[in-house]
């Protein structure tokens, strides 16, 4: 079993998280530490490395046939892990999850159409709508009893005013909500009533902790949801394989699937990367024990971060039910300082995603990626506690 405590140096490997760190966040005397972009610090399951090594050792990389074993592994995975029987014929290639989302938006909505998102939200959701000349309509989530909820009344108004599609994030980045079957059924009923296409991004589906309701695939909640939605996912968050850009759409609706595949074909983008397909097949076929280890490691990281951040006056961590991301409100602590959360953290040598990129006006928030060895997380928590003490004591107290 892999030792998740083990630090694996990544600087100099061409990874954005470490190699763009100083350029984006600046240098820091204690060394800037990255908790931003959503990949983890963990080596993938050994079975995946071995599969890649076997293929690389062959030394010839000509045109591949589509890896049917990988497609079948995807279908089995959804049946086994998410109790949803997927016909392998519904699975379409996608160049990364966002590549598929962009293609679906361009194909199934028209320029000027309204596309809804629920904020705070993963920033590329905004970009993919606006850059493709659709109109972004935001329906903010509402915080109740320490948890974010969908505002279905707000969504109904948006649907009633003619929105064509909802770009849905499940589990939700950055709040870590794992939507319950009841919430998904209510959403599906609303989308059905107004004929709104749901594009469901389920890239974080496997990273769900005990005690949460468990991930429910959106297309599985009703006959309409099955025909009226498109799901995108990939093994990239689960198994740390984002660099392959190997993802997939699951499109049970035959007409939509044919339209999607025709468009992929017209763009000469229907063939996946061979090594990515191999890695995906190996991860879904042989990575389950590794994933169980990862989940208990991440859960302990989450609990540690919630406990320590939650004991700092004026700091409120949202407890993620899934994902390795934590949405943290520093508003109470920083109220009189004139600092944004990301600015405060940067002064401590910590690179986190800034709240305002997920929702307007959220300068007091930041998103922490806790997918790292415990010692690295502890270093960050220690620096935040130290920084908070300095803020609380003020310039005179710390002098
Ligand atoms: C909700 C969500 N969708 C999509 C992506 C990116 O996926 P890809 O790199 O496969 O486009 C991320 C990465 O953080 C994400 O959090």
């Amino acid at each position: 079993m892999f030792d998740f405590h083990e630090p694996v140096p990544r600087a100099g490997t061409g990874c954005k998280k470490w190699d763009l760190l100083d350029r984006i966040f600046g240098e820091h005397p204690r060394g800037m530490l990255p908790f931003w972009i959503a990949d983890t610090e963990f080596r993938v399951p050994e079975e995946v490395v071995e599969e890649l090594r076997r293929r690389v050792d062959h030394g010839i990389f000509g045109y591949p046939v589509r890896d049917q074993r990988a497609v079948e592994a995807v279908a089995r995975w959804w049946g086994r892990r998410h109790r949803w029987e997927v016909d392998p014929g519904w699975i379409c290639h996608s160049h990364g999850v966002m590549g598929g989302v962009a293609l679906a938006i361009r194909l199934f909505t028209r320029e000027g159409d309204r596309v809804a998102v629920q904020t705070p939200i993963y920033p590329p959701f905004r970009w993919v709508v606006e850059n493709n000349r659709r109109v972004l309509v935001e329906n903010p989530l509402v915080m109740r009893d320490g948890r974010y909820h969908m505002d279905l009344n707000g969504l109904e108004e948006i649907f009633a005013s003619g929105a064509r599609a909802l770009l849905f994030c499940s589990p939700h980045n950055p709040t870590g909500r794992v939507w319950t079957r009841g919430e998904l059924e209510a959403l599906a009923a609303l989308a059905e009533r107004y004929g709104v296409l749901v594009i469901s991004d389920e890239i974080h589906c496997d990273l769900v902790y005990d005690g949460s309701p468990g991930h429910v695939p959106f297309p599985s909640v009703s006959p309409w949801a099955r025909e009226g939605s498109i799901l995108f996912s990939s093994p990239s968050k689960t198994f740390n394989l984002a660099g392959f850009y190997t993802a997939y759409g699951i499109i049970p609706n035959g007409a939509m699937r044919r339209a999607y595949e025709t468009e992929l074909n017209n763009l000469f983008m229907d063939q996946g990367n061979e090594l990515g397909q191999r890695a995906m097949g190996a991860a879904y076929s042989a990575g389950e024990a590794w994933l169980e280890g990862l989940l208990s490691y991440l859960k302990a990281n989450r609990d540690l971060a919630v406990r320590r951040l939650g004991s700092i006056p004026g700091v409120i961590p949202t407890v993620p039910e899934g994902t390795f991301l934590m949405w943290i409100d520093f508003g109470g602590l920083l109220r009189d300082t004139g600092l944004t959360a990301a600015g405060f953290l940067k002064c401590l040598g910590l690179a986190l995603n800034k709240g305002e990129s997920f929702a307007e006006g959220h300068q007091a928030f930041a998103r922490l990626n806790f997918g790292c060895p415990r010692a690295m997380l502890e270093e960050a928590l220690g620096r935040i506690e130290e920084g908070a003490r300095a803020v609380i004591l003020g310039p005179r107290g710390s002098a």
Side-chain angles (χ1 to χ4, degrees), residues 208-290:
V208 162
Y209 305 114
D210 317 333
S212 84
H215 179 73
V216 179
F218 181 78
S220 74
V221 299
S222 73
W224 180 87
R226 190 183 111 127
E227 295 301 315
S229 70
I230 300 181
L231 180 152
F232 288 100
S233 193
S234 85
S236 65
K237 303 293 165 197
T238 315
F239 293 105
N240 214 13
L241 296 169
F244 287 113
Y245 285 98
T246 296
Y248 50 86
I250 304 183
I251 315 181
N253 179 312
M256 283 205 293
R257 187 173 62 250
R258 281 186 290 279
Y260 177 91
E261 288 193 317
T262 302
E263 189 66 4
L264 265 190
N265 193 55
N266 292 346
L267 293 166
F268 295 89
M269 281 172 53
D270 51 331
Q271 289 289 331
N273 166 299
E274 188 191 359
L275 291 179
Q277 300 282 324
R278 293 263 176 166
M280 176 164 81
Y284 281 155
S285 305
E288 217 154 345
W290 179 94

Side-chain angles (χ1 to χ4, degrees), residues 365-384:
F365 285 73
R367 191 194 70 178
L368 170 81
N369 173 345
F370 58 88
C372 61
R374 185 103 3 101
M376 181 172 161
L377 178 62
E378 281 174 338
E379 173 67 25
L381 297 172
R383 290 191 197 184
I384 295 171

Side-chain angles (χ1 to χ4, degrees), residues 38 95-99 122 125 169 171 173 201 203-204 234 236-237 242 245 247 325 367:
H95 175 80
V97 160
M98 289 312 296
Y122 172 61
F125 271 33
C169 194
N173 172 2
D201 175 339
I203 196 169
H204 295 282
S234 85
S236 65
K237 303 293 165 197
Y245 285 98
L325 307 167
R367 191 194 70 178

